[in-house]
Amino acid sequence: MRALLLGAGGQLGIDLVRECRGRGHEVHALCRDDCDIADEESVRSEIRDFRPDWVINAAAYNHVDRAEREPENALRVNALAVRTIAGACQRLGATLLHFSTDYVFGGDKDTPYEEKDMPAPRSAYGVSKLAGELFVQHGCARHYVLRVAGLYGPPGRYTKRGNFVEFVLRGCAAGVRLRIAEDSIASPTYGPAVSIRSVDILERRIPFGLYHLGGGQAVSWFEFAGRIARTAACPADLVAARSLDLPFLATRPLYSALSNKRIEKTGIEPMPGMDGSLREYMVRRDRERPPE
């Protein structure tokens, strides 16, 4: 199949390109320098000229706190650009796979969120991602929206945005005391596992719609940081803190773990356990090099 991949330079995009090409699919991989998704004509022409069977949108504005200062930029990338992508896919008859986030939820539950639960984002970032979901759902009949949470993958070691695992490892290496929220619960998601299942979804043509693909285990960010340090066997100075006492501009949901029951019912393999994913992460981050 022919796949056009937007956001190919990010940690998830890198793994998606590898997974698609490893299965023999033709991939047109576009980084931000190749195609700014906020440029409507550029997006339309790339999709029109390549004529893909699949469009995978791994591009996003992920600066959660900065979005509070510049919500228009978050909306431009996470919502309006997605509307353009969805419209181009609809005209061509292509399937669109788009990634969203647990931050579309308000955090008032104490059990994992399901797809039927009502979104209630508490940040400009969350609002922008929810708007993108709606544009996909109403603009492209052949679509998959996959909500993930706290993505971490080995390419995060050398991508600009990094990830939480790299944040903890850098702090450990520098001997810095890290204050981590112990009252914020999520389901951190291993990127390579998401990539594998994303291509499975496209190849198997499961029913179109909205699905959760979180890490499969609800933990506090403080507990997750401790597991990272133990897996890497590095000394860590971790201090448990309340979210309200941390220097965040954006309000984050205190509980945003995702339930994967719906997608597992389609036959997609369950996500791997956290400890095994972290062990694999450590092996791969030492072995892998940035793509050419």
Side-chain angles (χ1 to χ4, degrees):
M1 303 293 277
R2 291 164 61 84
L4 185 146
L5 200 148
L6 299 162
Q11 65 172 348
L12 180 59
I14 291 168
D15 277 329
L16 283 163
V17 170
R18 289 172 176 165
E19 188 65 28
C20 286
R21 288 180 174 162
R23 299 195 196 190
H25 300 296
E26 181 181 354
V27 180
H28 186 36
L30 298 172
C31 300
R32 182 174 181 179
D33 290 343
D34 304 314
C35 177
D36 180 355
I37 69 167
D39 183 335
E40 294 184 17
E41 184 50 41
S42 177
V43 168
R44 291 193 185 103
S45 64
E46 290 286 357
I47 294 174
R48 182 180 62 245
D49 295 345
F50 185 65
R51 301 191 64 80
D53 302 294
W54 306 332
V55 173
I56 304 174
N57 182 31
Y61 179 105
N62 290 325
H63 302 276
V64 177
D65 290 308
R66 190 188 301 175
E68 295 300 306
R69 296 195 192 98
E70 45 186 56
E72 66 284 355
N73 289 337
L75 286 166
R76 186 178 301 115
V77 174
N78 292 341
L80 298 180
V82 176
R83 179 181 63 179
T84 301
I85 296 166
C89 289
Q90 178 69 9
R91 286 188 290 274
L92 184 63
T95 296
L96 172 59
L97 188 148
H98 173 74
F99 293 95
S100 190
T101 174
D102 56 325
Y103 278 25
V104 300
F105 292 115
D108 297 323
K109 289 187 70 177
D110 58 6
T111 57
Y113 277 94
E114 301 178 25
E115 291 84 352
K116 65 183 180 181
D117 289 320
M118 184 66 69
R122 298 191 174 187
S123 65
Y125 167 73
V127 168
S128 71
K129 292 297 288 184
L130 178 58
E133 289 186 8
L134 296 174
F135 279 131
V136 171
Q137 291 167 336
H138 295 282
C140 180
R142 301 172 60 86
H143 72 264
Y144 299 107
V145 174
L146 302 183
R147 288 178 180 149
V148 297
L151 272 170
Y152 63 99
R157 182 179 186 181
Y158 47 77
T159 55
K160 185 176 180 180
R161 291 288 294 141
N163 58 45
F164 184 76
V165 176
E166 294 301 318
F167 166 74
V168 172
L169 293 178
R170 286 194 302 269
C172 291
V176 175
R177 174 167 291 181
L178 300 176
R179 300 174 69 229
I180 310 290
E182 67 172 345
D183 58 350
S184 180
I185 309 296
S187 48
T189 311
Y190 187 47
V194 171
S195 299
I196 291 169
R197 285 151 186 79
S198 295
V199 183
D200 286 345
I201 287 165
L202 291 164
E203 289 181 340
R204 298 179 190 180
R205 302 179 183 179
I206 70 171
F208 296 121
L210 169 67
Y211 295 95
H212 289 174
L213 196 59
Q217 185 172 352
V219 296
S220 74
W221 289 103
F222 179 74
E223 180 184 347
F224 186 42
R227 290 190 182 205
I228 294 166
R230 288 194 297 273
T231 303
C234 61
D237 188 0
L238 305 176
V239 177
R242 296 189 312 158
S243 296
L244 288 176
D245 295 331
L246 295 173
F248 296 141
L249 287 178
T251 300
R252 288 151 167 80
L254 288 181
Y255 189 98
S256 61
L258 300 175
S259 168
N260 297 339
K261 290 181 181 179
R262 181 168 187 251
I263 199 163
E264 289 174 0
K265 288 179 180 178
T266 70
I268 295 298
E269 184 179 2
M271 291 289 283
M274 179 177 294
D275 291 335
S277 295
L278 283 173
R279 287 193 295 270
E280 180 179 309
Y281 183 104
M282 300 306 168
V283 171
R284 288 186 55 174
R285 80 183 290 270
D286 289 337
R287 184 182 66 207
E288 295 182 5
R289 295 294 181 268
E292 295 290 336

